[in-house]
Amino acid sequence: MQNLPEILKPHGYKKVKFKISKTQHLLVKAKINGVSGLFILDTGASNSCVGFEGTELFGLNAQKSSTLAAGAGATGMFTQIAAHNVLQIGRWKTAHFSLVIFDLSHVNQALTQHKAQPVQGIIGADILLQARAVIDYHNHCVYLQ
């Protein structure tokens, strides 16, 4: 749709470009607590998350969690939670953002096996719903309000 930006801009939407990886994942650059990383934009992921190595990288205050994670072929994975973070995707920004922290090595292993770039985390439906995201697959961008 050629006039999508014209429709969304008056409603406060911000355009963020994404790239498509060799594995057909949508990749966006984002900042957590001011630190840049590469993330999969995943409408099927219920929560946004980072790998355990992201705890130090993004300056996260990890707390224990009794929730076990499942996804991408793995189940029963130990998790932690980090609350009160700042997330910025393009010019869109939110504070008091919580992240799930878990072992993303299986995701990155699958990516690198296909010669795709590893990621620091996943932007999930929690953020996409909060930002009232509109994904423009044809023009490789997502609009966030």
Side-chain angles (χ1 to χ4, degrees):
M1 179 180 282
Q2 292 178 339
N3 60 353
L4 188 57
E6 296 166 15
I7 295 168
L8 297 175
K9 190 173 182 177
H11 298 284
Y13 279 86
K14 295 174 175 58
K15 179 180 176 179
V16 178
K17 292 205 174 264
F18 61 76
K19 293 186 179 189
I20 300 178
S21 74
K22 293 177 183 180
T23 55
Q24 298 298 305
H25 288 97
L26 309 183
L27 302 175
V28 293
K29 291 180 182 175
K31 289 182 181 180
I32 297 175
N33 301 328
V35 179
S36 294
L38 186 64
F39 295 82
I40 294 173
L41 194 65
D42 188 348
T43 61
S46 55
N47 293 341
S48 297
C49 58
V50 297
F52 285 121
E53 61 281 351
T55 304
E56 187 175 332
L57 175 68
F58 296 115
L60 303 176
N61 183 13
Q63 304 294 317
K64 291 181 182 178
S65 172
S66 59
T67 304
L68 296 178
T75 60
M77 295 181 291
F78 169 74
T79 65
Q80 294 179 315
I81 190 92
H84 310 295
N85 300 289
V86 177
L87 172 68
Q88 183 172 350
I89 306 171
R91 293 182 295 123
W92 183 87
K93 192 174 189 176
T94 185
H96 308 295
F97 164 65
S98 293
L99 277 164
V100 173
I101 305 166
F102 76 108
D103 184 3
L104 275 180
S105 62
H106 65 286
V107 172
N108 280 324
Q109 183 178 11
L111 291 171
T112 55
Q113 282 177 353
H114 289 85
K115 298 188 180 4
Q117 208 171 353
V119 297
Q120 284 70 52
I122 297 169
I123 303 297
D126 55 345
I127 289 300
L128 298 174
L129 288 167
Q130 177 186 335
R132 302 178 69 151
V134 176
I135 300 174
D136 182 348
Y137 290 94
H138 180 73
N139 293 307
H140 298 178
C141 56
V142 58
Y143 296 89
L144 305 171
Q145 185 183 46

